[in-house]
Amino acid sequence: MQLTGTPFLIVTIFLVPISIAAALLLWGRVRGPKPVQVLSRLAMILFCQVTAVTTVFVMVNNANLIYGNWDDLLGTGEHVRAIPKVPADNGPGSDNKTRAKVIQSFKGVGDPKVPADVQHTELKGELSGVDGEVLVWLPPQYNNPAYKDKNFPVVELLPGWPGSSKTWYGTLKVSEQLKPMMERGEVAPFILVSPRTNLLGDEVDTGCADVPGKVNADTWLSRDVPQMVLDNFRADPSADRWAVAGYSAGGHCAAKLALEHPNRYRAGVSLSGYNDPGLEPHSLTAKDPALKEKSNPLNILKNAQTPPKTALFVSGNKGDGYEDALAFKQAAKAPTTVTAVETTGPHASDVWRPMVPDMFKWLTGVIPVQH
């Protein structure tokens, strides 16, 4: 039974009254020495509490898709197959010059929280040594005969941590919000791609970085996943037509990847992100002082030999990302541009979901239109 969705939630809801009824029925029937009776009744109370807490957890998880499956919840998934030395990066499309295209098999996600038109594939990262799922949504124009010769812009969508590749579609409802806007021509017809970012279990946040001896998370996101998209879809290979977006820890990653790889991304969107990796207690990059400094997107911007041709959209509440947005704005020099947006409300999807339309209108203005 799936962790997310209605069936498991119904089971947990039914267990609550059943556990209470069982406790009431058995409470007076416990026999044996006094310590045994006390322990038995404590076990009944504990079982009632566990069923109630489980129901609440499942409801919260279904609403926010923090854990997409049992492996993520239990930390039993294996996603780092190897940690190879990564070859030099010469930009999008360059990783395909010496090999044939790898055609993936796609199917539906099979989760009632995710729209049926979102596709799922299991990708083995050739350069990173990372294996994981990638979810792809195609804009309504993609299969229109009038667009058969058109290549489409792409936005990679990164969840927070811990977070699921389903969250942007199931919780933030990105495709449901954008589909009618694309049909009306209000936003560009982007291909939306959401890869796995939880690679080392629920106790370690990779910071979307290549960490020697641990994981090539940066290479997975910035090279393996884009190459898969270029191999399988009519995606524009130009860096000017690619963007990366994320919220919370995914916002930190989006800003980092966009600034670190201007040869791959034209724009980055950070919703309630942060610059200092140390703000995430489980951050792998924060454990090494040198890597911590290197992985700070503000430092990447300040230390760039030439200002990157990167547009940033950075939002946050005061004390929750807005100061980081202003720091970007102060450090940016042309052609780098920064749009800082102050928000109000909690660090939650209820704040980020309504920002999706304006965020993609901004991306439409930044990403050149193909004629």
Side-chain angles (χ1 to χ4, degrees):
M1 187 177 292
Q2 286 192 131
L3 175 63
T4 56
T6 304
F8 184 60
L9 175 61
I10 292 174
V11 170
T12 63
I13 291 173
F14 272 112
L15 281 177
V16 174
I18 290 173
S19 66
I20 295 173
L24 292 173
L25 181 64
L26 299 174
W27 192 268
R29 299 185 181 185
V30 178
R31 300 291 181 264
K34 194 68 175 178
V36 173
Q37 294 183 36
V38 171
L39 288 174
S40 297
R41 286 167 180 154
L42 283 175
M44 293 178 196
I45 295 172
L46 180 62
F47 182 60
C48 291
Q49 292 177 329
V50 167
T51 56
V53 169
T54 299
T55 299
V56 173
F57 164 78
V58 173
M59 292 175 69
V60 171
N61 191 62
N62 275 2
N64 296 283
L65 289 175
I66 301 169
Y67 298 99
N69 54 48
W70 289 103
D71 280 341
D72 284 348
L73 175 63
L74 301 175
T76 55
E78 295 290 338
H79 300 285
V80 179
R81 170 176 28 89
I83 314 167
K85 183 178 180 180
V86 179
D89 180 7
N90 295 313
S94 62
D95 298 327
N96 189 37
K97 290 181 179 179
T98 59
R99 66 146 177 73
K101 289 185 177 181
V102 178
I103 304 303
Q104 295 286 129
S105 174
F106 288 85
K107 60 182 181 180
V109 177
D111 188 322
K113 299 288 292 183
V114 178
D117 56 356
V118 178
Q119 305 177 61
H120 163 278
T121 192
E122 291 292 334
L123 176 64
K124 288 187 174 294
E126 293 183 22
L127 299 177
S128 65
V130 169
D131 299 340
E133 81 278 1
V134 182
L135 274 57
V136 179
W137 180 82
L138 301 176
Q141 291 89 339
Y142 190 88
N143 292 313
N144 184 331
Y147 288 79
K148 64 182 180 64
D149 296 321
K150 298 288 186 181
N151 290 333
F152 289 80
V154 182
V155 181
E156 277 189 71
L157 302 171
L158 310 180
W161 186 89
S164 165
S165 54
K166 303 174 184 177
T167 310
W168 274 92
Y169 304 105
T171 303
L172 300 189
K173 301 188 181 301
V174 62
S175 59
E176 293 179 57
Q177 292 193 70
L178 293 183
K179 184 175 181 179
M181 296 180 70
M182 291 180 182
E183 290 173 336
R184 294 191 297 266
E186 296 174 6
V187 298
F190 293 100
I191 295 174
L192 305 181
V193 182
S194 184
R196 166 174 284 276
T197 57
N198 189 352
L199 304 177
L200 295 174
D202 62 354
E203 293 298 323
V204 180
D205 170 27
T206 68
C208 302
D210 284 359
V211 182
K214 297 290 185 180
V215 63
N216 288 326
D218 184 317
T219 300
W220 160 252
L221 295 171
S222 66
R223 298 178 69 175
D224 281 332
V225 171
Q227 188 60 61
M228 182 279 291
V229 176
L230 292 173
D231 282 353
N232 289 269
F233 301 98
R234 297 196 312 278
D236 196 312
S238 168
D240 279 341
R241 305 271 285 160
W242 282 69
V244 56
Y247 62 85
S248 190
H252 163 76
C253 288
K256 171 187 172 296
L257 292 173
L259 291 167
E260 198 168 31
H261 303 289
N263 64 333
R264 289 185 172 273
Y265 302 104
R266 175 69 179 89
V269 175
S270 174
L271 306 180
S272 302
Y274 50 84
N275 290 335
D276 180 5
L279 294 177
E280 170 50 63
H282 297 280
S283 171
L284 182 60
T285 57
K287 297 183 184 302
D288 181 321
L291 190 57
K292 179 182 176 181
E293 291 300 309
K294 181 182 177 183
S295 297
N296 185 318
L298 182 60
N299 291 342
I300 295 172
L301 176 59
K302 289 180 175 179
N303 297 330
Q305 291 185 350
T306 58
K309 184 185 175 183
T310 305
L312 294 178
F313 179 104
V314 190
S315 75
N317 202 346
K318 288 181 178 177
D320 186 25
Y322 186 59
E323 291 79 4
D324 294 292
L326 295 180
F328 276 132
K329 197 171 184 68
Q330 184 176 7
K333 298 177 182 178
T336 308
T337 61
V338 178
T339 299
V341 178
E342 184 178 357
T343 61
T344 57
H347 189 85
S349 58
D350 288 343
V351 170
W352 306 319
R353 188 186 306 110
M355 297 183 71
V356 166
D358 285 342
M359 166 187 137
F360 274 85
K361 287 180 181 178
W362 177 85
L363 279 171
T364 299
V366 170
I367 303 295
V369 175
Q370 185 190 47
H371 297 288

